[in-house]
Amino acid sequence: MSALPEPQCPALRLPTRCIALAGPTASGKTAAALAIAKRWPAEIISVDSALVYRGMDIGTAKPAPSELAAVPHHLIDIRDPLNAYSAAEFVRAAGPLIEAISARGALPLLVGGTMLYFKALFDGLDDMPAADPAVRAALALEAADAGWPALHAELAQVDPATAARLAPNDSQRISRALEVFRVSGQPLSFFHQRNAIQTIADNAIGASTTLLISLEPANRAWLHERIAGRFDAMLAAGFVDEVRALRARGDLTPDLPAMRCVGYRQAWEALDAQEALGFGEPLAPKALAGLRDKGIVASRQLAKRQLTWLRSMPQRRVVACDDPAALEQVLAQVKAGMESARCA
């Protein structure tokens, strides 16, 4: 890669500019973020709803200890898997972090693939109804009887905009959308679309103050190959044992948000099925192959949803992550964005 000249303008001061690096799973976000941090003083704020959980390292593709040590990272390993983490909590934490990092003379670098978190940070969140355990339990019973596709069909009747962006088996999000409707009488899309003058968190930074670089593949097959390779590497690194250890705690259930993360749900189900058959460890070859197939399919579906979210953000600067020069293009975008903020 050809060297890029170092920026010549004075030190960056926020809230004029921070950098956001988004993209679907396996698009190369971590490598790009580390390359940025190697060229400029930076601190990484994770924008990932799975990396917040402790003890979930392999299946979340959490940065390696050496990577975490090389660059300051924030909002990783901050929550036990027993406890949920919300977009509102993310915004409350990220806003002050951005200001603090900037005050230290470093570049706040938002990196991740949880697009709801990006949207919440850019636009704010309306004060949606709080979780209602009774309604949620009732929805779980209905799903157990009729299946999540049936509840997805119900959601399509009351909130077609939300249903259109959810997979028929996306139990977590279907449940939350129906819960919001049953509690408030308003569809989830109403809260997302309403002008967020009064927000849950006053720390939304505004899309206009942020350079959003989006890693998107020109060839979807390239991303699919990367996803398969990553899942194979996770299995080889002991992912099933990681999930087995989480199950062995005894206080976690497959209905928790942490355990519904892509990969973890499929591994939990595979271990459940083997246990029901009375088999011990390790997973039988057929069960392992089935887990691999389901995990890869679920990861592809996640990537598709992430790309749909990204395409709804017109301010993003797209870099084709399958381009051999992708990293150089990312660095050039960051350089231009920083100089624009410094010299404006």
Side-chain angles (χ1 to χ4, degrees):
M1 179 186 302
S2 60
L4 295 174
E6 293 298 328
Q8 299 299 315
C9 295
L12 178 67
R13 291 291 181 267
L14 282 187
T16 314
R17 177 73 72 193
C18 61
I19 307 296
L21 182 63
T25 184
S27 59
K29 297 183 294 295
T30 297
L34 292 173
I36 293 169
K38 186 175 181 180
R39 189 170 294 271
W40 293 281
E43 297 186 30
I44 295 172
I45 300 173
S46 172
V47 189
D48 191 297
S49 60
L51 294 187
V52 299
Y53 294 116
R54 294 185 290 270
M56 295 172 57
D57 303 331
I58 298 172
T60 61
K62 193 170 290 180
S66 60
E67 295 170 331
L68 293 172
V71 182
H73 284 70
H74 304 275
L75 304 186
I76 293 178
D77 289 338
I78 61 171
R79 188 61 54 95
D80 186 88
L82 186 62
N83 302 310
Y85 191 74
S86 70
E89 289 176 289
F90 168 78
V91 174
R92 291 192 186 102
L97 278 172
I98 290 169
E99 295 293 343
I101 293 167
S102 177
R104 291 193 285 268
L107 171 66
L109 184 55
L110 298 150
V111 182
T114 301
M115 304 309 163
L116 177 60
Y117 286 10
F118 277 118
K119 180 175 174 57
L121 191 61
F122 295 157
D123 302 334
L125 283 171
D126 287 303
D127 193 5
M128 286 187 287
D132 187 314
V135 173
R136 188 165 295 183
L139 287 166
L141 288 174
E142 292 175 33
D145 181 53
W148 285 108
L151 269 69
H152 182 267
E154 177 183 334
L155 179 63
Q157 296 297 315
V158 299
D159 189 356
T162 298
R165 63 179 178 81
L166 300 183
N169 285 303
D170 191 345
S171 58
Q172 179 180 357
R173 291 176 178 85
I174 294 170
S175 176
R176 177 56 180 160
L178 284 173
E179 177 188 2
V180 166
F181 180 78
R182 292 187 183 185
V183 169
S184 69
Q186 295 284 359
L188 184 64
S189 55
F190 165 81
F191 294 99
H192 285 169
Q193 292 168 2
R194 195 172 65 185
N195 184 23
I197 297 174
Q198 295 181 334
T199 62
I200 290 177
D202 293 327
N203 295 313
I205 62 175
S208 63
T209 68
T210 306
L211 171 63
L212 173 60
I213 302 171
S214 179
L215 295 174
E216 302 176 24
N219 182 355
R220 193 71 63 88
W222 177 90
L223 186 64
H224 289 175
E225 184 177 345
R226 294 257 303 183
I227 287 171
R230 170 181 281 191
F231 203 82
D232 285 338
M234 289 176 178
L235 291 173
F239 175 50
V240 175
D241 289 336
E242 180 176 83
V243 179
R244 186 178 282 114
L246 290 166
R247 284 164 53 90
R249 284 179 37 160
D251 60 344
L252 301 178
T253 70
D255 294 326
L256 289 168
M259 296 299 100
R260 289 200 295 263
C261 290
V262 167
Y264 288 87
R265 179 191 310 196
Q266 290 75 27
W268 191 293
E269 290 173 350
L271 290 168
D272 268 350
Q274 178 147 311
E275 185 177 282
L277 293 172
F279 297 151
E281 303 176 9
L283 278 181
K286 184 176 180 180
L288 188 61
L291 166 58
R292 178 186 184 274
D293 291 344
K294 291 178 180 178
I296 290 172
V297 168
S299 298
R300 288 182 178 183
Q301 292 170 341
L302 170 62
K304 183 178 180 180
R305 293 194 298 272
Q306 290 169 316
L307 287 167
T308 298
W309 271 95
L310 282 167
R311 288 166 185 156
S312 72
M313 300 179 182
Q315 76 274 22
R316 77 195 193 284
R317 306 281 184 88
V318 177
V319 171
C321 52
D322 49 346
D323 188 321
L327 187 54
E328 184 170 329
Q329 292 173 30
V330 168
L331 294 173
Q333 290 275 6
V334 173
K335 175 181 179 293
M338 291 177 68
E339 289 187 338
S340 172
R342 287 166 172 157
C343 303

